[in-house]
Amino acid sequence: MDFEAIKKSSALHPKPAGLTLQYGTAGFRTKAERLDHVMFRMGFLAVLRSRATASTIGVMVTASHNPEEDNGVKLIDPHGEMLHPSWEEYATQLANAEEQELQKVMTEICQKEEVNLHKDALVFIGRDTRPSSKKLSQSVIDGISVLGGQYHDYGLVTTPQLHYVVFCQNTQGQYGKATLEGYYQKLSKAFVELIKQANSPSSGDSQRHLKIDCANGIGALKLMEMQHYFPKEVQIHLYNDGTKEKLNHLCGADYVKVHQTSPGGLDMKPNERCCSLDGDADRIVYYYKDTADHFHLIDGDKIATLICIFLKELLVKVEQALKMAVVQTAYANGSSTRYLEETMKVPVHCVKTGVKHLHHKAQEFDVGVYFEANGHGTVLFSKAAEIKIRHLAKEEKDDERREAAKMLENMMDLINQTVGDAISDMLVIEAILALKGLTVQQWDAIYTDLPNRLLKVQVADRQVIGTTDAERRVVAPPGLQEKIDALVQKYKSSRAFVRPSGTEDIVRIYAEADKQENADALAHEVSLAVYHLAGGVGAPPQP
């Protein structure tokens, strides 16, 4: 490595004094003006990772559902998955190194990972629509270039599109063409094939109308590009398309989920089907208003359930011994877990919060469905399942089995298996609703969510909380779990858990019960227990 050139170039991207950042599940995220040096150094890291894996690596410049002033960056590994945890550690070290330590940190990474510095390196770059993103992605390019890496800048893309093209590139095109055109063609072809089977004129024309809140983000641009690939029966109407308002401001999937209300900029009429994407289009939630003007949210749990019902019917028809399971976190509504296990007879596994834990667990099954309640999720098919399904779709003599296998094949092609993808998930949902002739109300009525409440308590040190059993129980501080157990006993159909935030000194509390007032009371009582037993700061929580 030419450390003279690195030093010279690095001086143009200086690190603000005293700033330390942590690479978490969502990569780095903070105010945009603090990120120039981080972007430059992530260009380095991407080149080293590319050389270490002899593969193409992705760098996405986005802060997802954060406010427009923020920005962030995440790296994408060879199979389109999130960066390996050991390299997350290197990312943190590189971002926080003072100028004079840079050489040492980079040399250590190269030694530990046995990086061959003479190998070619290729990095794919993408960015969202934030005003700061173009300049910051140029800093990434500066970092790549100074280490002699090659790059391809895809410009404005959704986060899942960059994951997709990275995987396509590293499978030599087996997963698809590593272009946006290839993405649009693969998804729309599968969608059109599925929709062909939907013969429900009875459900009326209005069924195919969908209003989409694009969070004033990248999703709007990409849906506009994709629109002419859709069959004419599918009428999508885009709102919050970024032409007037700020990114994520009073709109987007996160806003709708947290505030349980419709976004600004979208006029909802009773029983209209609506959905919201988030700022980088990797999450989606659906919702509608009933005739009494009540808002109904359809979150990730209900999306997973709909997909499960559909896939299970097809798997039964093809009569293959393929194992399907659903992966959830402790935040999944208890009603969804009960419905899946008891009514659907589908195994449900609970893992720690964070997409990487869900994705990892879902890989253990022939068909692994995972969604977080916030609307981030996808379906993974094992290699063996894929081979079996594609073979049956081609060779099976029995008409019903062959048709079911063909539908499964199209679902496999429509789902972006690298990561949660709002556009792909939306098309999957629209296809299933059309094929089953379901209205949004009928979908919502599959089961009734238990009322729940999320709270947070500020503490002096979040590390005093230790958890076990996929974060559903605490092992420290002493006495807290016993107190929670006693409180839960007071209410019907109730449960509660607490977990430390991954990024700040707060403890998050989740409670659910048979009635909203009981969920609220339980959450409040648990928050008081946390405040008294885990070192709460400031005034005690008020009901």
Side-chain angles (χ1 to χ4, degrees):
M1 277 188 287
D2 181 349
F3 282 111
E4 266 320 298
I6 290 170
K7 208 168 140 185
K8 226 160 108 181
S9 199
S10 189
L12 303 173
H13 303 276
K15 174 183 174 293
L19 178 67
T20 55
L21 295 168
Q22 176 81 35
Y23 193 104
T25 305
F28 290 112
R29 275 190 204 169
T30 185
K31 293 274 171 276
E33 61 271 15
R34 294 172 163 178
L35 280 166
D36 177 54
H37 73 293
V38 173
M39 296 296 175
F40 175 67
R41 294 169 184 198
M42 289 309 102
F44 290 170
L45 193 69
V47 169
L48 298 182
R49 182 73 178 146
S50 175
R51 286 179 174 143
T53 55
S55 306
T56 300
I57 297 296
V59 178
M60 183 69 199
V61 177
T62 181
S64 189
H65 55 273
N66 279 35
E68 187 170 272
E69 314 52 84
D70 292 358
N71 217 321
V73 59
K74 41 192 171 186
L75 271 68
I76 300 169
D77 255 358
H79 286 131
E81 75 277 54
M82 293 174 149
L83 184 63
H84 191 279
S86 62
W87 283 72
E88 287 184 3
E89 193 46 50
Y90 299 150
T92 301
Q93 288 166 12
L94 256 187
N96 295 329
E98 298 305 334
E99 290 295 329
Q100 64 277 11
E101 303 167 331
L102 255 188
Q103 181 170 344
K104 180 171 156 283
V105 172
M106 287 172 75
T107 307
E108 276 174 8
I109 296 171
C110 291
Q111 283 168 348
K112 267 193 204 148
E113 297 296 332
E114 298 175 359
V115 178
N116 178 349
L117 293 169
H118 304 292
K119 272 210 172 120
D120 288 340
L122 178 59
V123 181
F124 283 178
I125 305 163
R127 65 175 192 273
D128 71 10
T129 54
R130 291 164 198 272
S132 58
S133 291
K134 186 151 177 29
K135 187 169 170 295
L136 289 173
S137 72
Q138 185 53 53
S139 304
V140 176
I141 291 170
D142 292 351
I144 294 166
S145 306
V146 87
L147 285 197
Q150 301 293 307
Y151 67 89
H152 180 82
D153 184 4
Y154 281 86
L156 291 164
V157 287
T158 70
T159 296
Q161 285 176 331
L162 193 68
H163 283 259
Y164 177 92
V165 293
V166 167
F167 190 39
C168 290
Q169 179 74 12
N170 288 318
T171 52
Q172 285 69 52
Q174 272 179 300
Y175 190 65
K177 279 211 290 280
T179 61
L180 285 191
E181 193 69 16
Y183 170 91
Y184 297 140
Q185 282 169 347
K186 181 180 173 182
L187 268 62
S188 58
K189 180 172 176 282
F191 180 66
V192 169
E193 285 297 313
L194 281 165
I195 287 279
K196 269 187 200 158
Q197 311 290 314
N199 47 2
S200 53
S202 58
S203 60
D205 173 70
S206 65
Q207 277 310 294
R208 301 287 174 83
H209 281 274
L210 175 67
K211 287 185 167 178
I212 307 171
D213 154 33
C214 299
N216 290 311
I218 185 70
L221 295 181
K222 299 298 135 181
L223 279 168
M224 283 176 207
E225 284 174 14
M226 198 173 182
Q227 227 165 345
H228 66 271
Y229 289 93
F230 295 152
K232 60 181 184 310
E233 310 89 61
V234 178
Q235 300 284 319
I236 63 169
H237 308 277
L238 306 182
Y239 296 84
N240 298 321
D241 62 2
T243 50
K244 298 193 218 30
E245 295 289 337
K246 276 171 74 164
L247 176 71
N248 295 325
H249 182 58
L250 305 180
C251 61
D254 200 57
Y255 173 82
V256 171
K257 168 84 176 128
V258 170
H259 294 92
Q260 305 270 328
T261 182
S262 58
L266 186 150
D267 175 36
M268 280 170 79
K269 295 189 176 59
N271 296 331
E272 278 186 332
R273 200 165 66 250
C274 304
C275 69
S276 284
L277 321 181
D278 72 334
D280 63 340
D282 66 355
R283 294 183 185 185
I284 185 167
V285 293
Y286 271 68
Y287 45 92
Y288 68 97
K289 260 190 339 197
D290 62 25
T291 44
D293 218 32
H294 289 306
F295 177 83
H296 296 257
L297 177 74
I298 300 179
D299 65 3
D301 299 337
K302 249 181 200 161
I303 293 172
T305 305
L306 178 74
I307 292 172
C308 254
I309 290 171
F310 186 69
L311 291 178
K312 184 162 182 192
E313 284 170 6
L314 294 176
L315 289 168
V316 168
K317 279 183 189 160
V318 297
E319 296 171 3
Q320 294 296 314
L322 294 172
K323 272 174 48 190
M324 178 162 86
V326 178
V327 187
Q328 296 182 327
T329 70
Y331 286 109
N333 194 281
S335 290
S336 72
T337 314
R338 204 164 298 134
Y339 181 84
L340 288 163
E341 288 182 332
E342 294 170 14
T343 308
M344 294 282 304
K345 304 281 186 268
V346 171
V348 178
H349 297 266
C350 186
V351 296
K352 279 167 67 170
T353 305
V355 176
K356 59 183 172 197
H357 303 299
L358 290 144
H359 194 90
H360 187 70
K361 186 72 184 171
Q363 288 172 321
E364 294 176 16
F365 310 100
D366 291 313
V367 183
V369 180
Y370 75 83
F371 270 83
E372 289 187 295
N374 65 25
H376 186 285
T378 187
V379 184
L380 306 182
F381 292 85
S382 70
K383 198 73 202 143
E386 185 189 343
I387 290 165
K388 228 178 225 181
I389 290 164
R390 292 203 195 276
H391 177 76
L392 286 171
K394 242 218 282 311
E395 308 296 340
E396 176 57 49
K397 300 286 182 281
D398 179 81
D399 286 354
E400 196 186 8
R401 281 176 72 182
R402 189 179 63 252
E403 285 311 308
K406 268 190 188 159
M407 273 197 180
L408 278 170
E409 181 173 44
N410 284 315
M411 283 303 272
M412 265 188 325
D413 289 337
L414 184 53
I415 290 161
N416 182 348
Q417 293 182 52
T418 63
V419 72
D421 181 337
I423 293 175
S424 155
D425 290 339
M426 178 191 90
L427 294 174
V428 166
I429 292 162
E430 290 301 306
I432 295 173
L433 292 177
L435 285 160
K436 294 188 70 63
L438 286 174
T439 63
V440 68
Q441 300 85 331
Q442 289 168 320
W443 173 20
D444 188 30
I446 290 171
Y447 62 81
T448 306
D449 277 324
L450 281 167
N452 56 81
R453 177 64 63 217
L454 283 159
L455 294 176
K456 52 189 182 190
V457 175
Q458 233 173 337
V459 291
D461 178 12
R462 66 180 183 272
Q463 314 222 310
V464 301
I465 301 267
T467 66
T468 184
D469 186 25
E471 300 177 315
R472 289 179 288 192
R473 297 185 70 76
V474 291
V475 289
L480 180 56
Q481 186 59 50
E482 290 74 5
K483 184 73 182 152
I484 294 170
D485 290 341
L487 291 169
V488 165
Q489 290 299 311
K490 292 167 54 179
Y491 302 100
K492 257 178 78 175
S493 308
S494 69
R495 71 183 178 103
F497 68 90
V498 307
R499 55 180 284 272
S501 157
T503 50
E504 46 193 329
D505 282 322
I506 58 174
V507 176
R508 301 190 187 279
I509 289 141
Y510 177 89
E512 61 185 33
D514 59 338
K515 297 194 189 79
Q516 189 63 56
E517 57 264 38
N518 291 346
D520 291 349
L522 177 58
H524 174 63
E525 289 164 0
V526 171
S527 72
L528 281 173
V530 169
Y531 178 85
H532 291 301
L533 293 170
V537 292
Q542 295 303 308

